[in-house]
């Protein structure tokens, strides 16, 4: 599978997957504490009162599957070029941030599944600690950069992730 030439915009599937994955990540962040309670109860051998790990596990697995689909579509369809006239370093930084987000969209669900189903405490520590914090930081950087591009540099970049290419 090879990367196709850059397209003028994102496809409808790419846009839908972007926003669905974003919503699922937000959900995961909101139910994180419940999952931690369930993990602690599991490791202590007691009941997880008030904590249901199932939604976190299902949504994390969905993120993994959707990220894989999104990556395949990106490799086949490509991505639009960076906005014209911007400093080259912006494109480099955007590529780095996007690449790291993709890595985390795979690393977080996999480490979570290894932790929960394998009972691997180190995987749980990495999943709920540095990987989770890295994703939060990168998502905030991604959002801030998109807003700067849209409202300060007036590149129209947000429209690309809202309206499919013609």
């Amino acid at each position: 599978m090879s990367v196709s030439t850059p397209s003028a915009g994102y496809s409808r599937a790419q846009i839908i997957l972007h926003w669905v994955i974003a919503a699922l990540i937000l959900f995961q962040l909101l139910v994180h504490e419940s999952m931690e309670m369930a993990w602690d109860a599991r490791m202590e051998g007691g009941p997880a009162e008030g904590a249901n790990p199932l939604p976190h596990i299902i949504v994390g697995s969905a993120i993994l599957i959707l990220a894989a689909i999104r990556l395949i579509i990106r490799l086949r369809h490509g991505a639009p070029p960076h906005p014209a006239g911007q400093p080259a370093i912006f494109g480099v930084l955007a590529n780095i941030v996007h690449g790291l987000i993709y890595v985390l969209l795979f690393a977080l669900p996999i480490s979570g599944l290894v932790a929960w189903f394998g009972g691997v405490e180190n995987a749980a520590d990495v999943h709920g600690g540095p990987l989770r914090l890295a994703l939060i930081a990168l998502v905030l950087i991604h959002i801030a950069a998109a807003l700067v591009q849209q409202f300060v540099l007036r590149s129209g970049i947000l429209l690309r992730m809202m309206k499919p290419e013609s």
Side-chain angles (χ1 to χ4, degrees), residues 100-132:
L100 290 172
I101 289 172
Y102 271 106
V103 167
L104 291 171
L105 289 178
F106 288 93
L108 271 155
I110 291 169
S111 64
L113 291 169
V114 167
W116 188 259
F117 292 108
V120 180
E121 194 162 350
N122 287 340
D125 291 343
V126 169
H127 173 81
L131 292 180
R132 179 176 155 267

Side-chain angles (χ1 to χ4, degrees), residues 29-92:
L29 294 173
L30 294 174
V31 301
H32 172 75
E33 191 172 318
S34 177
M35 187 61 187
E36 276 192 355
M37 290 174 16
W39 174 259
D40 291 343
R42 180 175 183 203
M43 291 294 102
E44 294 168 6
E49 294 185 29
N52 181 2
L54 198 55
H56 189 83
I57 293 167
I58 291 170
V59 170
S61 299
I63 289 171
L64 179 62
I65 293 165
L66 294 174
I69 293 168
R70 185 171 175 193
L71 184 58
I72 290 167
I73 292 172
R74 185 179 180 111
L75 291 172
R76 289 187 178 161
H77 182 78
H82 297 293
Q86 75 176 6
I89 189 67
F90 287 9
V92 171

Side-chain angles (χ1 to χ4, degrees), residues 9-23 70 73 77 80 157-166:
Y10 290 104
S11 69
R12 182 174 310 281
Q14 286 173 302
I15 293 169
I16 290 169
L17 286 168
H18 175 272
W19 293 112
V20 168
I21 291 171
R70 185 171 175 193
I73 292 172
H77 182 78
I157 203 164
L158 288 182
L159 188 58
R160 296 191 320 183
M161 198 44 80
M162 291 187 220
K163 181 182 175 199
E165 69 178 339
S166 305

Side-chain angles (χ1 to χ4, degrees), residues 22 25 29 97 101 133-145:
I25 289 170
L29 294 173
V97 169
I101 289 172
L133 294 175
L135 182 64
I136 291 169
L138 288 169
V139 165
L140 291 174
I141 290 167
H142 177 67
I143 292 168

